[in-house]
Amino acid sequence: MTVSEILLTAYYERADKKEIQSAVKAKANSGVYANADLAEGYFKELKEAAPWPFPWASYTQSREPDYAGKFINVNEGIRKTWNSKAINDDKSARLKIFFFGGSTLWGAGSRDDFTIPSLVAKKLVENGISAKVTNYAVNADVTTQSLIRFVLELRKRNVPDLVVFYGGLVDAWSACREGKPGVPIGSSNLERISSEKEAKARISIKLENLALIRLLTGKKQPVGCLKQLDVLSDGALDVYLGNVWFIEAISRSLSFKTLFYLEPELSDKTQKTKYEEGQLLKYEKWLPGYNDLYSLMSSKLVRREYESLRRNVVHDLRTIFSDVARPIYVDGGHYGEDGNERISRKIAADILALYAPAN
């Protein structure tokens, strides 16, 4: 038994490593990046910088681990964002802008200087707007986690002039994966180790980690959410809009401005590459119904938003890649730097409309 476990563990470690290496090469050669060798180096670094599960953090459940690399740098849980040297030296920069979201905003697929917040910062400077931009996004964050992170900053008296919330996709993923809306990814695992179930959970976790059990049971088949699409999309949208309402209420009290964006998704890209088609199928296999759930959230947004907020405040970006033929996505949920460029152009234009310099 012991010898079999040791041999099987070594086998699965090699097999998992080979699978990761294969995925890294596939992303690097997806057509999204001009330099495949550089991209492969980036994705190897990304695996080190953003391991799963993330370190534990009070209230929010997780935080980004600190990391120093060639492409990715995280300090005290915050990803490095491009800001002009003049603005970094100027403590009285005109605008203080916070960004909150999940992995797409954090920049899974992009170098530090080419995340959405970094590109927005560059565009603002080019258009005469002095701003200090901070990227508080965390991989796998649902909007409630982003909201709590924001509240923790406000508690420190760290109040922005403008806050940008970018997401929605992880809310759909979490609702589909966990079987209920409004909870962080992995909540079902945490529930298993509540005090009354702790002993049983410890045993089950140990058993699941045995290589022999993995051999006998094989990979778990995803349950998905195809049978609960309407209920879960309603619930996820309720939670999302409830968070928007709460942030809007705080903004009136503390006098900061807000922008909200519902992010795009690969299924909305009409002209997909062969690689992108494969990634879409892979994600749907991982979590059946997830794409449909997010599409339902989007289709219900305008009516539910007006019912909840009495006005439309969420910018829906789901069509931003719809007619783009060139490669955009590096996997089923994340885009490369060209995708970030297109999105940042839209967000920067919205910010400029709020803070256009006087002629």
Side-chain angles (χ1 to χ4, degrees):
M1 171 72 175
T2 304
V3 175
S4 297
E5 181 64 24
I6 293 171
L7 292 174
L8 282 170
T9 298
Y11 168 78
Y12 282 126
E13 282 180 356
R14 287 195 300 271
D16 291 344
K17 186 176 180 180
K18 188 175 180 180
E19 186 176 346
I20 290 171
Q21 290 172 342
S22 177
V24 164
K25 284 187 177 294
K27 290 179 182 180
N29 290 280
S30 62
V32 174
Y33 302 96
N35 187 329
D37 290 335
L38 183 146
E40 187 170 341
Y42 166 82
F43 280 108
K44 287 178 181 177
E45 191 169 294
L46 179 61
K47 286 293 179 185
E48 298 174 1
W52 182 262
F54 296 130
W56 172 260
S58 299
Y59 300 107
T60 56
Q61 186 171 303
S62 64
R63 72 181 294 274
E64 289 291 339
D66 287 355
Y67 186 84
K70 179 180 178 181
F71 308 106
I72 299 168
N73 291 273
V74 180
N75 183 36
E76 296 184 356
I78 300 172
R79 180 137 191 213
K80 181 181 177 183
T81 300
W82 182 94
N83 281 285
S84 72
K85 189 176 186 304
I87 292 172
N88 284 330
D89 294 341
D90 181 9
K91 303 300 181 184
S92 62
R94 180 183 173 197
L95 288 180
K96 183 159 70 170
I97 303 175
F98 294 172
F99 278 82
F100 288 91
S103 54
T104 49
L105 186 72
W106 182 85
S110 309
R111 297 165 289 176
D112 288 336
D113 286 355
F114 299 91
T115 63
I116 292 170
S118 286
L119 292 172
V120 168
K122 292 177 184 180
K123 286 172 173 48
L124 293 180
V125 168
E126 291 168 3
N127 286 276
I129 296 286
S130 173
K132 170 68 175 177
V133 176
T134 306
N135 184 0
Y136 287 101
V138 172
N139 283 284
D141 256 12
V142 293
T143 53
T144 301
Q145 287 171 294
S146 294
L147 166 60
I148 295 171
R149 294 186 201 281
F150 183 39
V151 169
L152 293 176
E153 290 304 313
L154 296 178
R155 190 177 68 177
K156 295 186 240 177
R157 305 295 192 270
N158 187 17
V159 182
D161 297 296
L162 170 68
V163 62
V164 180
F165 281 82
Y166 180 92
L169 200 59
V170 184
D171 291 63
W173 181 275
S174 177
C176 190
R177 184 180 186 272
E178 304 298 324
K180 57 183 176 181
V183 296
I185 293 175
S187 293
S188 56
N189 292 331
L190 289 176
E191 288 175 2
R192 292 173 54 206
I193 53 174
S194 59
S195 56
E196 65 270 20
K197 298 178 181 177
E198 187 173 358
K200 188 184 292 184
R202 285 176 179 168
I203 294 171
S204 64
I205 289 171
K206 287 179 181 177
L207 287 174
E208 288 177 0
N209 288 336
L210 288 174
L212 184 59
I213 297 299
R214 180 172 172 180
L215 175 67
L216 295 173
T217 60
K219 288 189 176 182
K220 288 185 178 179
Q221 294 299 312
V223 175
C225 53
L226 284 168
K227 295 180 180 179
Q228 306 177 72
L229 289 176
D230 200 48
V231 172
L232 288 177
S233 60
D234 278 340
L237 194 53
D238 279 342
V239 171
Y240 176 81
L241 290 175
N243 289 333
V244 172
W245 176 87
F246 186 71
I247 295 159
E248 285 281 275
I250 299 173
S251 74
R252 290 190 289 273
S253 174
L254 297 179
S255 301
F256 57 82
K257 296 183 186 297
T258 59
L259 285 171
F260 301 93
Y261 295 92
L262 197 68
E263 62 190 306
E265 204 274 326
L266 177 53
S267 63
D268 298 307
K269 187 172 184 279
T270 307
Q271 302 181 58
K272 302 176 188 67
T273 65
K274 183 177 180 181
Y275 174 83
E276 289 171 333
E277 289 281 8
Q279 290 299 307
L280 186 61
L281 290 172
K282 181 185 290 187
Y283 265 53
E284 187 60 29
K285 185 177 179 181
W286 281 346
L287 198 62
Y290 147 71
N291 288 315
D292 294 329
L293 195 154
Y294 190 50
S295 293
L296 271 176
M297 281 179 64
S298 174
S299 66
K300 295 174 180 178
L301 175 66
V302 174
R303 176 178 59 83
R304 298 286 295 283
E305 182 183 18
Y306 190 79
E307 289 173 357
S308 175
L309 307 172
R310 295 299 173 194
R311 60 196 180 96
N312 301 122
V313 299
V314 180
H315 299 263
D316 191 345
L317 298 181
R318 287 181 60 102
T319 61
I320 201 164
F321 303 139
S322 59
D323 296 323
V324 180
R326 63 173 296 174
I328 292 289
Y329 282 84
V330 299
D331 58 33
H334 304 99
Y335 18 87
E337 294 167 4
D338 183 42
N340 289 347
E341 169 65 29
R342 294 168 190 273
I343 292 164
S344 66
R345 202 180 303 149
K346 163 62 177 165
I347 296 176
D350 292 339
I351 296 175
L352 288 167
L354 292 174
Y355 298 100
N359 292 325

